Amino acid sequence: MLTDQFNRNHNYLRISLTDKCNLRCTYCNPVDLPKGYFSNCNKMTADEIDQIASVFIRLGVNKIRLTGGEPLVRKDAKDIIRRLSKYSIEITITTNGVFIHEFLDVFQQAGIKSVNVSLDSLNRSKNKLITGRDEFDIVLQNIQLLLDHGFQVKINTVVMKGINDSEILEFVEWTKNTALQVRFIEFMPFKGNHWMDKDIFSHDEMLHLIASQFEFDTLFNDKHDTARKYKVRGYQGTFAIISTMTKPFCNGCNRMRLTTDGKMKNCLFSQTEVDILSALRRQEDIVPLIKQCIWDKHESLGGQLNNQDLLDDTSKIQNRSMIHIGG
Ligand code: SAM
């Protein structure tokens, strides 16, 4: 078991398959990085992902989420999903939804039951404005495809004040006749995304707004859940709020991350990374590195985001951009 100094056990690994993406979401893509930045990345091969995953599984991991960048743009994504499906663990995926129709069979064969799809607006032109691409129709079709095939679908919606907070009620209304979970995510700061405090639409603001229109119940939350879950009475689906910025949930954190270039992060906001891939390539034992990385985990928010100075000037935050970490 991978335990840190605060007695938190870690059994959930998020692996970034690539830092490339077919979309250009404003909140995720760094705007200031030099050309060629992504293509130079020395990424883990499918075989190396399998080897590293098997070590984490031996150490107690029972859930792996594939992410990116956009995980489904990686050419050997199907091969990687198939390889990981041989382990007795839960496999999930976070995707922008554009290529899901090409992966449905593989998801089913791999025993994937739940898929998180990002969608920040229910308005086609606003969606294009946020993502930089016009893929709205195919994403909606693919969400329906997943539901028709019995997948559990969670919609990830990053709420940005003045951009899409006006759509929160519409998203909740979507859950009336559709059995999915809409997850409203507070906008978070990363390298190059020009985040500002004033752009946050907070958990309390969201709940207040939703309560003005709907009667809802609070659902049970597991201690590891990042999303506080709610259900409008009589509706088929649910909604949830991920309040990293205003109500962090670090106490129950069980998550670890592996970037596409094989660096382990013990927190989304950690300043430090441990180079697992280079050690593997030198044929060293990576177990002590993984254990030390978890032991060194800060009590909350990577030891960075609880510092108001850094929130006032996010250029001082030492971290990668979200697309380069793997969300
Ligand atoms: N390409 C995939 C997708 O679009 O879901 C996976 C990668 S994306 C980085 C994973 C998740 O991170 C998405 O749900 C996205 O909305 C979220 N995300 C990215 N940047 C964010 C930010 N600045 N604040 C909050 N959530 C963010």
Side-chain angles (χ1 to χ4, degrees):
M1 190 51 88
L2 291 163
T3 308
D4 70 6
Q5 298 177 59
F6 306 96
N7 218 17
R8 293 173 295 202
N9 291 328
H10 294 74
N11 56 1
Y12 179 7
L13 176 67
R14 304 167 75 106
I15 303 178
S16 172
L17 295 192
T18 175
D19 54 10
K20 296 196 173 69
C21 189
N22 53 315
L23 301 186
R24 292 289 174 271
C25 302
T26 50
Y27 52 78
C28 186
N29 274 262
V31 285
D32 309 325
L33 286 180
K35 229 174 165 219
Y37 180 77
F38 293 114
S39 49
N40 294 334
C41 170
N42 180 15
K43 66 173 190 255
M44 296 178 286
T45 63
D47 199 41
E48 287 165 341
I49 291 173
D50 190 357
Q51 283 183 59
I52 295 175
S54 74
V55 175
F56 273 94
I57 291 164
R58 272 209 321 273
L59 292 170
V61 162
N62 57 18
K63 177 172 176 180
I64 291 182
R65 176 174 300 281
L66 302 177
T67 181
E70 171 48 42
L72 304 186
V73 301
R74 184 165 162 152
K75 290 203 166 50
D76 55 358
K78 289 183 181 173
D79 177 34
I80 293 168
I81 294 169
R82 283 197 191 101
R83 282 169 183 253
L84 295 180
S85 72
K86 67 177 174 278
Y87 300 110
S88 306
I89 56 163
E90 180 185 349
I91 303 173
T92 57
I93 194 147
T94 300
T95 167
N96 59 38
V98 175
F99 302 110
I100 282 174
H101 55 288
E102 296 174 21
F103 280 80
L104 210 65
D105 289 355
V106 184
F107 287 177
Q108 285 176 322
Q109 286 154 17
I112 292 178
K113 304 228 168 359
S114 173
V115 180
N116 288 12
V117 182
S118 296
L119 184 70
D120 303 307
S121 175
L122 293 170
N123 172 292
R124 188 182 177 163
S125 49
K126 194 187 287 179
N127 208 67
K128 185 175 173 194
L129 206 70
I130 297 172
T131 64
R133 301 285 185 272
D134 190 7
E135 303 283 12
F136 182 66
D137 293 341
I138 187 76
V139 174
L140 279 191
Q141 279 167 32
N142 278 339
I143 289 169
Q144 192 55 50
L145 195 66
L146 287 171
L147 291 168
D148 291 345
H149 286 80
F151 287 88
Q152 189 192 347
V153 179
K154 294 180 186 166
I155 305 295
N156 283 352
T157 304
V158 180
V159 181
M160 294 160 284
K161 200 169 248 173
I163 307 281
N164 60 350
D165 54 305
S166 56
E167 293 190 52
I168 289 175
L169 297 177
E170 209 182 321
F171 270 105
V172 174
E173 189 57 21
W174 193 14
T175 67
K176 182 174 185 178
N177 298 316
T178 316
L180 44 70
Q181 181 180 91
V182 175
R183 294 150 33 110
F184 300 113
I185 307 176
E186 286 180 351
F187 183 32
M188 301 181 285
F190 292 98
K191 194 182 180 80
N193 77 349
H194 295 291
W195 177 94
M196 284 198 283
D197 225 348
K198 67 174 180 47
D199 300 327
I200 295 184
F201 198 79
S202 70
H203 169 278
D204 289 354
E205 287 175 296
M206 294 188 215
L207 222 49
H208 186 70
L209 175 68
I210 296 168
S212 71
Q213 194 77 23
F214 301 100
E215 276 191 33
F216 57 84
D217 296 312
T218 304
L219 301 179
F220 169 78
N221 288 311
D222 183 80
K223 74 168 181 178
H224 299 307
D225 283 345
T226 53
R228 292 185 175 81
K229 300 189 283 292
Y230 308 91
K231 188 174 198 294
V232 176
R233 290 188 194 146
Y235 280 22
Q236 287 189 35
T238 58
F239 71 92
I241 302 178
I242 302 181
S243 56
T244 313
M245 301 308 296
T246 65
K247 290 184 195 298
F249 30 79
C250 304
N251 283 348
C253 185
N254 62 344
R255 293 163 170 72
M256 310 166 272
R257 291 183 144 79
L258 200 57
T259 63
T260 190
D261 53 347
K263 309 284 194 313
M264 179 175 169
K265 284 176 78 71
N266 56 23
C267 170
L268 181 57
F269 302 111
S270 66
Q271 315 176 36
T272 52
E273 300 176 347
V274 172
D275 189 352
I276 301 291
L277 180 59
S278 297
L280 185 87
R281 287 181 179 169
R282 289 193 300 267
Q283 298 185 337
E284 291 169 12
D285 182 6
I286 60 173
V287 170
L289 293 179
I290 295 171
K291 286 188 168 169
Q292 190 64 46
C293 181
I294 285 304
W295 187 252
D296 292 341
K297 181 165 174 155
H298 282 266
E299 187 169 12
S300 71
L301 299 172
Q304 292 205 86
L305 288 204
N306 32 17
N307 176 345
Q308 189 57 43
D309 285 351
L310 293 184
L311 292 181
D312 290 341
D313 179 2
T314 54
S315 66
K316 291 187 190 148
I317 294 176
Q318 289 175 37
N319 201 359
R320 306 182 186 211
S321 63
M322 181 62 133
I323 192 171
H324 201 41
I325 299 170

